C-alpha cells in the first residue's frame, strides 16, 4: 500500500472495536452480565489486547513480507509459530476470559419434583462436566422422568423435562442453558471486534494484519468450534484507498454495510 492508501485506511477506522462506544456490543453485554458479572468490560478489553499481542508475536510482519521460506530466518519464525497454539494463549489470559472462551459446562444444579404420594418433593443433584450431564441417582429419577441413558447433554435433558407432565422446578438448568447461550453470543462478538482491532493495530500495517487475521479466525474456529468469518475484513480491505476523495471511500464503505 502507498502512503496515501495507508493514510486513507486509518482515516476510515470507525473504531467499532471500542466496546465503550459500540451500541450493539453494549446491548448484548447488558444481557450477558445478568449471568456473568465477573467478566467485566475491563477484563474484556485486556482479553482483546492479549489476543492481538499474541498473534502479532506469533505471526510477525516478516512472515508476510516475502521472506523466502527456505531461509533460516523464516524457519526460526515458523518453529516459534508452531509452538504457540491456542492452548498456549489460554495459559496467558485471565481466568474469567478463559472461562468465556472455552464456555464449557461444569456445574451442579438440582431439580425438584412434586410427588402426589408424599408431602415432600423429590430432590436430585445433577453434575455437568465437559458438556455432559451425569445423573448419579438414575434409578430414582427414572420413576418420574423417562431417562434411557445415564449421560446426556444438558440440552437433551432439558427437552425431556419440557415434555414431561410432572410438576417440577428445573429453573436452575434453564439458567445454565441461558448463560451458555449468551456467553456464546458475547464470545463471538468479542472475537469479531478483536479481528477489527487487529486490523487497525498501530503495531503493524494492514497488508500484514490481514493474513494474520485469517490465521486467527481459522485457528479459533478449529479450536472452539466457532463460525467466525472474514467477510467484514474482506470488505474493508477491498475498498479503493487510492481515491484522494476520502468522502467517496466513506460512501463506498457505507454502501457495503
Amino acid at each position: 500500500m502507498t502512503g496515501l492508501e495507508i493514510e486513507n485506511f486509518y482515516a476510515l477506522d470507525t473504531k467499532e472495536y471500542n466496546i465503550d462506544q459500540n451500541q450493539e456490543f453494549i446491548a448484548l453485554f447488558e444481557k450477558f452480565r445478568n449471568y456473568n458479572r465477573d467478566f467485566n468490560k475491563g477484563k474484556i478489553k485486556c482479553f482483546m489486547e492479549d489476543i492481538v499481542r499474541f498473534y502479532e508475536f506469533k505471526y510477525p510482519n516478516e512472515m508476510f513480507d516475502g521472506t523466502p521460506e527456505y531461509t533460516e530466518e523464516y524457519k526460526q519464525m515458523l518453529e516459534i509459530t508452531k509452538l504457540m497454539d491456542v492452548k498456549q494463549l489460554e495459559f496467558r489470559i485471565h481466568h474469567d476470559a478463559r472461562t468465556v472462551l472455552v464456555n464449557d459446562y461444569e456445574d451442579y444444579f438440582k431439580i425438584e419434583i412434586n410427588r402426589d404420594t408424599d408431602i415432600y418433593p423429590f430432590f436430585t443433584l445433577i453434575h455437568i462436566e465437559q458438556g455432559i450431564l451425569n445423573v448419579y441417582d438414575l434409578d430414582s429419577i427414572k420413576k418420574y422422568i423417562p431417562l434411557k441413558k445415564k449421560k446426556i447433554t444438558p440440552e437433551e435433558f432439558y427437552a425431556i423435562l419440557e415434555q414431561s407432565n410432572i410438576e417440577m422446578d428445573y429453573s436452575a438448568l434453564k439458567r445454565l442453558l441461558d448463560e451458555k447461550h449468551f456467553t456464546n453470543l458475547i464470545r463471538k462478538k468479542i472475537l469479531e471486534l478483536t479481528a477489527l482491532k487487529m486490523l487497525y493495530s498501530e503495531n503493524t500495517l494492514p497488508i500484514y494484519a490481514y493474513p494474520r487475521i485469517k490465521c486467527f479466525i481459522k485457528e479459533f474456529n478449529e479450536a472452539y468450534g466457532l463460525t467466525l468469518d472474514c467477510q467484514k475484513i474482506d470488505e474493508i480491505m477491498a475498498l479503493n484507498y487510492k481515491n484522494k476523495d476520502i468522502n467517496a471511500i466513506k460512501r463506498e464503505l457505507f454502501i457495503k454495510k
Side-chain angles (χ1 to χ4, degrees), residues 19 69 77 96 115 128 131 139 143 153-154 169 178 186 204 242:
I19 62 174
E69 295 185 12
M77 288 188 291
D96 292 335
R115 300 178 291 186
I128 302 177
D139 291 335
K143 298 176 183 177
T153 67
D169 179 5
D178 288 343
I186 200 75
T204 187
K242 295 179 181 179

Side-chain angles (χ1 to χ4, degrees), residues 10-51:
Y10 288 108
L12 288 172
D13 179 8
T14 59
K15 294 183 170 50
E16 187 178 337
Y17 48 82
N18 183 346
I19 62 174
D20 290 324
Q21 305 297 327
N22 188 313
Q23 295 304 311
E24 183 181 354
F25 172 85
I26 292 172
L28 180 57
F29 178 72
E30 287 303 311
K31 295 177 181 177
F32 166 76
R33 68 195 301 266
N34 289 324
Y35 303 94
N36 186 332
R37 290 185 174 271
D38 293 329
F39 195 44
N40 55 40
K41 285 185 179 180
K43 291 176 183 176
I44 291 174
K45 291 175 185 177
C46 288
F47 177 45
M48 294 170 67
E49 291 168 0
D50 287 342
I51 293 176

Side-chain angles (χ1 to χ4, degrees), residues 204-230:
T204 187
L205 291 173
I207 56 172
Y208 304 135
Y210 179 66
R212 184 178 293 126
I213 291 167
K214 293 181 77 72
C215 293
F216 155 65
I217 288 177
K218 179 177 182 294
E219 291 169 8
F220 267 60
N221 282 344
E222 291 176 351
Y224 304 107
L226 303 176
T227 57
L228 302 172
D229 62 61
C230 281

Side-chain angles (χ1 to χ4, degrees), residues 72-175:
E72 192 62 31
E73 180 185 21
Y74 189 90
K75 290 178 181 178
Q76 289 176 353
M77 288 188 291
L78 190 60
E79 283 301 310
I80 295 174
T81 296
K82 289 179 179 178
L83 295 174
M84 297 178 66
D85 59 13
V86 291
K87 181 59 68 174
Q88 291 299 318
L89 174 62
E90 287 182 21
F91 294 145
R92 290 160 175 80
I93 57 178
H94 193 279
H95 170 75
D96 292 335
R98 184 188 182 280
T99 298
V100 169
L101 179 59
V102 175
N103 192 21
D104 194 8
Y105 291 114
E106 187 165 356
D107 209 339
Y108 289 90
F109 70 92
K110 70 176 183 179
I111 61 172
E112 176 182 322
I113 301 173
N114 292 331
R115 300 178 291 186
D116 296 334
T117 58
D118 200 324
I119 60 173
Y120 299 106
F122 170 78
F123 287 95
T124 185
L125 191 65
I126 298 174
H127 182 217
I128 302 177
E129 186 175 12
Q130 295 183 349
I132 297 297
L133 183 147
N134 193 349
V135 182
Y136 294 108
D137 194 7
L138 184 61
D139 291 335
S140 296
I141 201 172
K142 281 174 67 176
K143 298 176 183 177
Y144 312 101
I145 302 170
L147 281 180
K148 296 181 179 180
K149 54 185 179 179
K150 187 173 182 179
K151 293 184 178 181
I152 61 176
T153 67
E155 290 82 2
E156 290 172 332
F157 187 58
Y158 184 79
I160 293 173
L161 298 181
E162 281 282 271
Q163 295 170 7
S164 174
N165 295 323
I166 298 176
E167 184 181 347
M168 67 181 86
D169 179 5
Y170 48 93
S171 56
L173 174 59
K174 185 178 188 308
R175 182 174 177 83

